Amino acid sequence: MNNKSHPYGIFCIYINDEVMSKVSYYTAEGLKKLRDELSNLKDIERPKASQAIAEARDKGDLSENAEYDAAKEAQGLLEMRISKLEETLSSARLIDESQLDTSKALIHSTVKIKNQTNGAEMTYKLVAQSEADLKTGKISVDSPIGKGLLGKSVGEVAEIQVPNGIMKFDVVEITRE
């Protein structure tokens, strides 16, 4: 077993070169969002699912009860989501944004880019996948654009693989907000 630190804020534990666990860094807002969702699923949705199963069970023969089958399936999906959130939270770490290097695009960087083809400028904040929200300008470091921007400095060109080929963007500015 050996431990390797990913240069962009993800710490992985490897056993025979297979990733065993992944630590992801979140803003305080992102962690709160995850915890709130988990709390809602456990405290509100889980009891609702149990109630739906109980009501369907009370309707008689379980072998031909589609409502019961649907309620059990919904409960299984809910439990999977709860498990996934608990796993994510167990490996989540709060990132101290004041300590991040602003010379390169890293997780929690706000990066202004300019499309070399049409001159359009865009600004994105690079975040963990669960915090991504394109409407607010937050893109995942796992997205094609996020991957292309990671590690770039102002003045460098980010080449992003898209279905039509490769798009080139100039990195104009990198900030921390």
Side-chain angles (χ1 to χ4, degrees):
M1 177 171 101
N2 66 46
N3 298 334
K4 298 177 185 177
S5 181
H6 191 278
Y8 307 120
I10 300 170
F11 181 77
C12 300
I13 297 173
Y14 293 80
I15 298 178
N16 297 330
D17 289 325
E18 183 177 330
V19 177
M20 300 311 288
S21 69
K22 178 175 155 181
V23 174
S24 296
Y25 291 93
Y26 291 85
T27 59
E29 174 190 351
L31 272 177
K32 182 182 181 323
K33 185 177 166 186
L34 287 175
R35 288 185 181 121
D36 289 349
E37 181 181 356
L38 180 61
S39 178
N40 178 60
L41 292 176
K42 283 180 158 184
D43 300 339
I44 296 168
E45 297 302 321
R46 186 182 267 164
K48 281 185 188 176
S50 294
Q51 181 64 32
I53 290 170
E55 288 173 7
R57 188 182 310 122
D58 290 343
K59 293 184 178 173
D61 184 10
L62 297 182
S63 65
E64 294 182 19
N65 188 334
E67 192 175 330
Y68 176 79
D69 292 340
K72 288 295 282 182
E73 184 174 340
Q75 181 188 41
L77 293 172
L78 174 68
E79 292 303 325
M80 269 190 346
R81 180 68 184 139
I82 288 171
S83 176
K84 179 73 175 153
L85 276 172
E86 287 175 336
E87 181 183 326
T88 299
L89 280 167
S90 73
S91 63
R93 302 293 179 265
L94 182 62
I95 193 162
D96 181 357
E97 295 184 71
S98 67
Q99 301 296 312
L100 292 175
D101 177 9
T102 56
S103 68
K104 292 184 178 179
L106 304 172
I107 191 165
H108 299 284
S109 295
T110 298
V111 184
K112 184 176 186 179
I113 57 175
K114 182 176 179 180
N115 186 322
Q116 286 187 347
T117 305
N118 63 16
E121 289 190 352
M122 296 153 280
T123 302
Y124 297 112
K125 182 167 184 169
L126 301 175
V127 296
Q129 189 168 350
S130 64
E131 292 184 71
D133 180 8
L134 194 55
K135 290 178 189 168
T136 60
K138 296 178 180 179
I139 61 169
S140 168
V141 292
D142 296 324
S143 71
I145 294 174
K147 286 178 181 177
L149 292 175
L150 284 174
K152 298 291 186 227
S153 299
V154 172
E156 287 190 293
V157 175
E159 295 185 357
I160 314 293
Q161 181 68 47
V162 294
N164 297 359
I166 293 178
M167 293 181 70
K168 293 183 180 184
F169 296 92
D170 294 319
V171 178
V172 178
E173 182 180 39
I174 300 171
T175 58
R176 298 281 183 266
E177 294 178 5

